[in-house]
Amino acid sequence: MGKFEVLDHPLIQHKLTLIRDKKIGTKIFRETVNEISTLMAYEVSRDMPLEDVTVETPIAKTVKKQLAGKKVAIIPILRAGLGMVDGILELIPAAKVGHIGMYRDETTLMPHEYFVKLPSDIDQRQLFVVDPMLATGGSAIMAIDALKKRGATNIKFVCLVAAPEGVKALQTKHPDVDIYTASLDEKLNEDGYIIPGLGDAGDRLFGTK
Ligand code: URA
């Protein structure tokens, strides 16, 4: 089973509480999601492998560490996942960014990809799949299915708020995927919103509705 971690750094917790407030407007919401995403990227990248490299300082030659292993790609699930990309790029600026969008056919209820544009070497990369809300888990599962179908093997899922139902569904369908969240909330309501959550993350990020 992959990891499940609630990132309880005080700055992450404080900033998440700020954006739960329904009175917070689009500008502050967007900026704060960026900041939380940067802080989460710091925690999520903690197990990145290092290798030795020789470096010559102005004083002496020495052997020190640099990042080794797989390069990163960030994969936002459209549309709300876009809000987390820039914050992660602050810390991992060389990461590539792939996009993945899906809708569910209203009549057949079958998932359909409507947009998938990925770096050509996703099989070689550590993927951070990002979506602020892990609610039922449906879109995360579909997105990861789509990535695995194209060769991805090394996937971390990063969200701001998770519902127990979504965590369970994602762990059941993709037990190899590590899940990181800033909060594990109570449950879903009958409309599929997370309680207490923060509302519709896409609408709050983009000022729609
Ligand atoms: N998606 C959201 O944006 N918010 C929720 O609470 C659940 C799904």
Side-chain angles (χ1 to χ4, degrees):
M1 182 68 75
K3 267 187 224 164
F4 172 72
E5 271 188 46
V6 178
L7 302 178
D8 60 358
H9 191 290
L11 290 173
I12 295 176
Q13 294 304 309
H14 177 81
K15 288 173 190 290
L16 181 61
T17 301
L18 283 180
I19 59 167
R20 286 185 191 271
D21 186 340
K22 66 179 182 187
K23 296 192 292 300
I24 290 293
T26 306
K27 175 178 182 287
I28 303 292
F29 189 91
R30 193 182 291 145
E31 288 172 0
T32 310
V33 168
N34 255 315
E35 291 170 4
I36 297 171
S37 304
T38 304
L39 294 165
M40 290 186 80
Y42 178 77
E43 298 280 6
V44 170
S45 56
R46 211 171 255 290
D47 61 358
M48 278 180 163
L50 294 169
E51 65 186 6
D52 287 340
V53 62
T54 304
V55 59
E56 209 169 335
T57 78
I59 311 300
K61 215 183 224 184
T62 182
V63 175
K64 293 294 174 199
K65 302 291 180 193
Q66 70 174 15
L67 288 172
K70 292 181 195 283
K71 301 258 187 290
V72 171
I74 307 164
I75 315 288
I77 301 179
L78 303 179
R79 131 187 99 131
L82 291 173
M84 297 176 69
V85 173
D86 288 349
I88 299 175
L89 285 171
E90 285 281 326
L91 280 196
I92 313 174
K96 297 209 169 170
V97 181
H99 294 85
I100 188 152
M102 271 147 320
Y103 72 94
R104 193 181 290 272
D105 186 299
E106 297 280 312
T107 43
T108 64
L109 297 183
M110 291 299 287
H112 291 276
E113 301 166 3
Y114 70 85
F115 189 78
V116 180
K117 191 78 182 170
L118 302 169
S120 56
D121 55 354
I122 56 159
D123 54 326
Q124 307 292 317
R125 288 181 180 267
Q126 164 72 70
L127 305 185
F128 293 172
V129 178
V130 298
D131 193 349
M133 310 304 275
L134 177 60
T136 61
S139 43
I141 289 168
M142 281 185 253
I144 292 169
D145 283 340
L147 292 168
K148 286 186 175 174
K149 198 167 81 188
R150 291 167 174 81
T153 54
N154 202 335
I155 301 174
K156 293 176 189 281
F157 181 83
V158 188
C159 61
L160 303 188
V161 180
E165 296 91 329
V167 173
K168 188 162 173 228
L170 184 52
Q171 282 178 329
T172 304
K173 190 73 206 300
H174 293 295
D176 56 306
V177 170
D178 294 335
I179 304 171
Y180 299 86
T181 185
S183 176
L184 180 63
D185 275 15
E186 244 170 76
K187 59 177 179 178
L188 295 178
N189 71 10
E190 57 283 0
D191 299 319
Y193 282 94
I194 299 177
I195 305 174
L198 47 73
D200 186 304
D203 283 343
R204 296 201 64 196
L205 275 166
F206 298 111
T208 47
K209 194 148 192 155

